[in-house]
C-alpha cells in the first residue's frame, strides 16, 4: 500500500515510518524542513517537504504521492503553544483531509487524544461524548480536537465536503486514534524532556500542570505502541479508538514512579482533580488485536528512561 505519513519526524512519526516500511508499504513522509525530509529518507521512506498550513503546497505533495492511506501524526507542541497546536488541528487537518480526498485516498488515520472526554465515572469509552461544555482554556483544546475528529470521521456536519463519496462523508474510512499521554523517546517525559526539566525544578512552561494533581487520573501510552496502533489501524473499521495502556492511574501513583525513573525527587503532592481526569479504556483497541508492548507505565517509565 502507498502510505503518506504527515508528521514523519515527530515522536510517533519517526517510529511509525520504519514500521510501515518493514511491513512492505511504500512510504512517503513529510517534514517542513529539508533536514527533516532527509531524516525521513534515512528511515527508508521518500522524504518530502510540506507545511500543513500551506493548503496549495500540501495538495501538490499529497497528489504526487497518490497515497492509498494518509496517516496524520501532525502536532505543533515543540513550543508548548496550545494556540499553534489548535490551529494545526483545525486548519492542518482540514487541508490534509481535503488533499487526501482530492487524491482519491481511501483511508485517513489521525492522531487525537484520550483526555478530551466529558466528565464521567471510570475510564472513558469511545461512545462517550467529548467535553464540549468545558470551561476555558480547556474548551479551546476540546473544540480543536472535535474539529479534527469531525474532519476525519465525517460525523456531525463537520466534514463539510458534500462530495458524497470518499472522506467527506467518510464514516467508513476515517480512523481516529485517541492516544494517551505519550511517553518514551522524543517526548516530554523522556530524560532531558520538558517534564523531566519541570520535575527537576527548572523554569519553563507548566508541562505537568493540572495533570499532576494528586487525584487526577490519566492514561499513558508508549510512543512505540502508539506507532504500532497506527500501522494496525490501516485495517481497522472506521471510528475513534482509544490507544492507551492498561492502567489509568492517579498522579499520586504514577508521578513518583516517573520521578524515580528520571532520577529526580518526586514533587510535593498537589490536591484536587477535575471530573474529566478519568483515563480511558483500551478494550476496543485490544478487541481489534492491538497489544501494547508496554501495558503499564510502571514498567514503561523505567525502561524508557534507562
Ligand atoms: N498524546 C500526547 O500525549 C501527545 C501528542 C503529541 C505530542 N505530544 C508531546 O509533544 C512533544 C512533541 O512531540 P513531537 O516531536 O512528536 O511533536 P512536534 O514537534 O509537535 O511535531 C510533530 C510532527 O508534526 C510536524 N509538524 C508540526 N507542525 C507542522 C506543520 N505546520 N506542517 C507540517 N508538519 C508539521 C513536525 O514536522 P517538522 O517539525 O519536521 O516539520 C513533526 O513531524 C512530545 O514531547 C510529546 O510528548 C504528546
Amino acid at each position: 500500500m502507498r502510505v503518506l505519513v504527515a508528521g514523519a519526524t515527530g515522536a510517533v512519526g519517526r517510529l511509525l515510518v520504519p514500521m510501515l516500511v518493514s511491513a512492505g508499504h511504500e512510504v512517503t513522509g513529510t517534514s517542513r524542513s529539508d533536514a527533516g525530509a532527509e531524516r525521513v529518507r534515512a528511515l527508508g521512506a521518500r522524504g518530502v517537504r510540506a507545511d500543513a498550513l500551506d493548503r496549495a503546497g500540501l495538495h501538490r505533495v499529497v497528489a504526487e504521492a497518490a497515497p492509498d492511506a494518509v496517516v496524520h501524526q501532525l502536532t505543533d507542541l515543540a513550543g508548548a503553544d496550545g494556540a499553534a497546536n489548535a490551529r494545526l488541528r483545525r486548519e492542518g487537518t482540514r487541508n490534509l483531509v481535503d488533499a487526501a480526498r482530492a487524491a482519491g485516498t481511501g483511508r485517513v488515520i489521525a492522531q487525537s487524544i484520550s483526555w478530551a472526554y466529558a466528565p464521567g465515572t471510570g475510564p472513558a469509552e469511545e461512545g462517550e461524548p467529548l467535553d464540549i461544555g468545558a470551561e476555558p482554556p480547556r474548551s479551546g483544546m476540546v473544540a480543536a480536537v472535535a474539529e479534527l475528529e469531525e474532519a476525519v470521521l465525517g460525523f456531525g456536519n463537520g466534514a463539510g465536503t458534500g462530495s458524497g463519496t470518499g472522506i467527506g462523508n467518510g464514516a467508513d474510512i476515517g480512523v481516529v486514534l485517541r492516544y494517551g499521554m505519550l511517553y518514551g523517546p522524543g517526548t516530554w517525559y523522556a530524560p532531558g524532556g520538558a517534564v523531566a526539566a519541570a520535575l527537576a525544578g527548572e523554569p519553563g512552561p507548566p508541562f505537568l500542570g493540572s495533570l499532576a494533581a494528586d487525584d487526577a487520573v490519566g492514561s499513558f501510552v508508549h510512543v512505540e505502541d502508539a506507532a504500532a496502533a497506527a500501522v494496525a489501524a490501516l485495517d481497522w473499521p472506521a471510528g475513534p479508538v482509544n490507544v492507551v495502556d492498561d492502567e489509568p492511574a492517579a498522579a499520586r501513583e504514577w508521578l513518583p514512579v516517573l520521578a524515580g525513573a528520571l532520577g529526580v525527587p518526586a514533587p510535593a503532592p498537589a490536591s484536587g482533580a477535575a471530573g474529566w481526569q478519568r483515563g480511558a479504556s483500551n478494550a476496543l483497541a485490544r478487541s481489534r488485536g492491538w497489544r501494547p508492548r508496554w501495558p503499564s507505565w510502571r514498567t514503561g517509565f523505567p525502561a524508557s528512561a534507562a
Side-chain angles (χ1 to χ4, degrees):
M1 190 184 279
R2 280 193 305 275
V3 183
L4 181 135
V5 178
T9 56
V12 177
R14 74 182 80 139
L15 300 180
L16 172 60
V17 166
M19 287 182 192
L20 289 166
V21 169
S22 64
H25 299 295
E26 193 184 313
V27 183
T28 298
T30 74
S31 167
R32 284 164 300 175
S33 68
D34 286 331
E38 192 52 50
R39 288 201 300 280
V40 175
R41 279 176 218 123
L43 297 173
R46 190 170 151 262
V48 294
R49 277 186 57 176
D51 185 334
L53 300 177
D54 168 9
R55 187 173 167 84
L58 186 67
H59 268 69
R60 277 195 298 277
V61 164
V62 177
E64 207 201 323
D68 302 302
V70 165
V71 185
H72 172 341
Q73 294 288 357
L74 302 166
T75 56
D76 192 350
L77 287 166
D81 179 347
N85 200 39
R87 182 175 175 217
L88 187 58
R89 280 181 172 140
R90 291 174 188 275
E91 291 179 35
T93 303
R94 169 61 56 206
N95 290 341
L96 185 62
V97 168
D98 287 349
R101 181 183 313 107
T105 304
R107 169 148 291 233
V108 174
I109 296 162
Q111 170 180 155
S112 185
I113 56 171
S114 64
W115 60 93
Y117 286 104
T121 310
E125 297 188 348
E126 290 82 351
E128 297 185 55
L130 299 185
D131 196 6
I132 300 298
E135 296 291 324
R138 175 170 163 80
S139 54
M141 184 274 283
V142 175
V145 166
E147 210 169 303
L148 176 153
E149 295 198 351
E150 281 170 13
V152 173
L153 299 172
F155 50 62
N157 197 24
T161 68
S163 67
T165 56
I167 293 154
N169 71 349
D172 53 350
I173 53 174
V175 179
V176 164
L177 303 174
R178 292 177 174 163
Y179 288 146
M181 293 180 283
L182 293 168
Y183 72 94
T187 71
W188 293 340
Y189 294 82
V195 168
L199 283 173
E202 293 169 22
F207 278 93
L208 280 170
S210 65
L211 292 178
D214 236 16
D215 299 316
V217 174
S219 281
F220 284 92
V221 67
H222 192 288
V223 275
E224 191 181 312
D225 291 323
V231 179
L234 291 171
D235 298 317
W236 284 355
V241 185
N242 295 333
V243 176
V244 297
D245 76 10
D246 291 348
E247 199 179 354
R252 91 178 94 75
E253 294 180 84
W254 63 258
L255 200 43
V257 176
L258 177 66
L262 293 169
V264 297
S271 60
W276 56 265
Q277 293 180 308
R278 49 193 293 224
S281 161
N282 66 13
L284 180 60
R286 277 191 165 274
S287 77
R288 294 191 178 159
W290 177 74
R291 297 283 177 274
R293 178 173 174 210
W294 305 103
S296 168
W297 45 270
R298 284 184 199 281
T299 49
F301 285 163
S304 54

